[in-house]
Amino acid sequence: MKKILLVFAIFGTLACNHAEEQSKVEAATPEAASEEKDSLPNFGIVIHGGAGTILKENMSDSLEQQYRAKLEEAVRAGHAVLKRGGTSIEAIEQAINIMEDSPLFNAGKGAVFTNAETNELDAAVMDGKTLNAGAVAGVTTVKNPIDLAIAVMNRSEHVMMIGKGAETFAKEQGMEIVDPEYFYTENRYRGLQRVKDSEKTQLDHDQKTAFLDPFIKDSKYGTVGAAALDKYGNLAAGTSTGGMTNKRWGRVGDVPVIGAGTYANNKTAAISGTGWGEFFIRGVVAYDISALMEYKNLSLQEAAREVIQKKNVDLGGNGGIIAIDHEGNVAMEFNTAGMYRAKMNKDGALEVAIYGEK
Ligand code: ASP
């Protein structure tokens, strides 16, 4: 009798285990798997490497490959941070550092030259959760200005620091300091000489010639930026730039002006811009997109289109933005021929693009 009970007990346990296995197998059907995936927290990242007259006919295959590869490397690095549970601030810092260190972009190494043949860098960051922000302008020795902007946000009671003072703070914070020569690149130097040469041939030597030069107007801006949504639902945006070729007299562009080239708010979106900075400042571009979402209930895409395709154009400016909203929707809007850009969502779907294809 005992033997019979034992046999039943063994069979019973096996049967139960089998039923459990069965339910595990059932949970792994495609529908259940996709439901499981959908319930995971959303996250994503979008980056840009500048907008402007970027045309396929002016680009060699090998240069295009270099841009695509660097954009992919940067967006993947930011995505990896988000995937392992890092914050949106950490993700944008990673992505921007990679572009700052590349001479392909007008930020960090590869920054454009001022009229005085120096490189003066601007950067900003904004945290959408706290609405805290940090910005630096006119720095000449800080290797990664976005890191300094983050330090201003997190480790000082200020929002914006400029020039020598910002550099003193950078040293105190143990940031990597480089000789200004580090930012020299032959390409950018030649770009400045071209503008200066064409200026000499123009009669009108007022300040506007600095930017109205056809080379500048028709060239690419090359600023870099990133916007991200992390697993905790927090948005952040950051932007870093050398500004505009031939800029004068301590000119500061839109990038470090919070609300112009950089803005983030968990209620709406995180936005980073690139383009003719004076017009981005006057149009308060990034904040305008957020305000249209907040006060007029426009979607991110509608708001971005309104500001970039209508308001910025009507004012006489040009450029573009990348942005991500609190639901992970992404906008990459520009009114120029092209914009270096890339995005990656929580499923790892990657898109890298340069020209006007949408
Ligand atoms: N917006 C930048 C500035 O005006 C230029 C750029 O986007 O490359 O400083």
Side-chain angles (χ1 to χ4, degrees):
M1 186 64 190
K2 262 189 192 166
K3 260 189 193 163
I4 293 172
L5 279 179
L6 191 66
V7 170
F8 270 114
I10 290 170
F11 269 104
T13 315
L14 284 178
C16 277
N17 284 348
H18 180 69
E20 250 179 54
E21 281 304 315
Q22 196 61 33
S23 77
K24 269 188 207 152
V25 170
E26 271 161 20
T29 59
E31 296 78 33
S34 96
E35 259 169 43
E36 222 168 78
K37 229 180 186 184
D38 287 346
S39 67
L40 290 174
N42 202 0
F43 65 94
I45 181 164
V46 56
I47 64 170
H48 71 78
T53 309
I54 309 163
L55 297 165
K56 189 147 181 73
E57 54 262 38
N58 297 338
M59 178 92 83
S60 71
D61 286 350
S62 97
L63 190 58
E64 179 173 332
Q65 270 328 305
Q66 287 175 47
Y67 274 108
R68 286 188 186 275
K70 206 36 100 176
L71 288 166
E72 180 171 341
E73 182 189 338
V75 81
R76 279 193 188 282
H79 186 268
V81 171
L82 297 171
K83 197 172 174 190
R84 66 168 180 262
T87 66
S88 47
I89 299 280
E90 289 163 347
I92 60 159
E93 183 181 18
Q94 274 285 330
I96 291 174
N97 281 169
I98 287 171
M99 293 187 284
E100 282 179 333
D101 292 346
S102 162
L104 290 173
F105 304 99
N106 170 21
K109 176 93 186 163
V112 297
F113 281 86
T114 66
N115 179 265
E117 308 198 343
T118 56
N119 306 100
E120 296 179 4
L121 314 171
D122 303 337
V125 66
M126 186 154 181
D127 178 342
K129 181 184 177 195
T130 57
L131 301 190
N132 201 356
V136 292
V139 295
T140 57
T141 62
V142 178
K143 180 168 174 271
N144 292 104
I146 193 68
D147 297 0
L148 183 55
I150 294 171
V152 170
M153 175 172 79
N154 289 337
R155 294 187 245 148
S156 85
E157 67 270 35
H158 303 304
V159 168
M160 188 188 277
M161 293 186 193
I162 62 163
K164 290 269 168 292
E167 273 155 14
T168 305
F169 177 69
K171 273 185 217 142
E172 272 182 31
Q173 292 296 318
M175 305 252 123
E176 189 167 354
I177 303 296
V178 291
D179 189 280
E181 274 291 300
Y182 164 81
F183 298 108
Y184 177 92
T185 55
E186 183 69 27
N187 251 348
R188 299 296 189 197
Y189 189 70
R190 268 196 271 120
L192 175 69
Q193 300 313 322
R194 267 203 303 273
V195 177
K196 284 189 165 177
D197 288 349
S198 79
E199 243 185 358
K200 277 187 209 133
T201 64
Q202 290 174 23
L203 290 175
D204 178 10
H205 271 246
D206 74 5
Q207 53 167 301
K208 283 188 184 146
T209 58
F211 293 153
L212 287 183
D213 177 276
F215 171 78
I216 295 293
K217 253 196 109 178
D218 293 340
S219 71
K220 52 192 164 49
Y221 293 109
T223 283
V224 308
L229 169 69
D230 64 29
K231 287 183 177 175
Y232 319 103
N234 293 323
L235 292 166
T239 318
S240 182
T241 189
M244 285 177 77
T245 303
N246 205 27
K247 64 184 183 180
R248 291 175 183 171
W249 310 298
R251 179 263 189 188
V252 175
D254 59 310
V255 166
V257 177
I258 297 303
T262 311
Y263 191 73
N265 185 336
N266 274 6
K267 276 200 228 162
T268 55
I271 303 137
S272 168
T274 170
W276 195 340
E278 278 66 15
F279 291 88
F280 274 59
I281 295 176
R282 290 167 55 201
V284 203
V285 163
Y287 179 73
D288 200 18
I289 293 171
S290 171
L292 284 171
M293 295 174 72
E294 187 172 358
Y295 301 123
K296 271 190 137 185
N297 274 322
L298 261 56
S299 70
L300 171 61
Q301 188 52 56
E302 289 165 345
R305 198 174 299 133
E306 172 73 20
V307 172
I308 296 301
Q309 306 300 354
K310 289 201 194 126
K311 297 174 94 171
N312 184 251
V313 173
D314 291 350
L315 206 56
N318 62 359
I321 59 95
I322 50 96
I324 186 164
D325 73 11
H326 56 287
E327 290 175 343
N329 300 306
V330 164
M332 303 190 286
E333 197 68 34
F334 51 97
N335 56 38
T336 47
M339 179 168 77
Y340 298 109
R341 58 200 188 276
K343 64 176 178 177
M344 235 174 140
N345 68 11
K346 79 167 176 182
D347 302 326
L350 167 77
E351 186 186 316
V352 179
I354 298 180
Y355 311 109
E357 80 265 33
K358 287 210 176 166

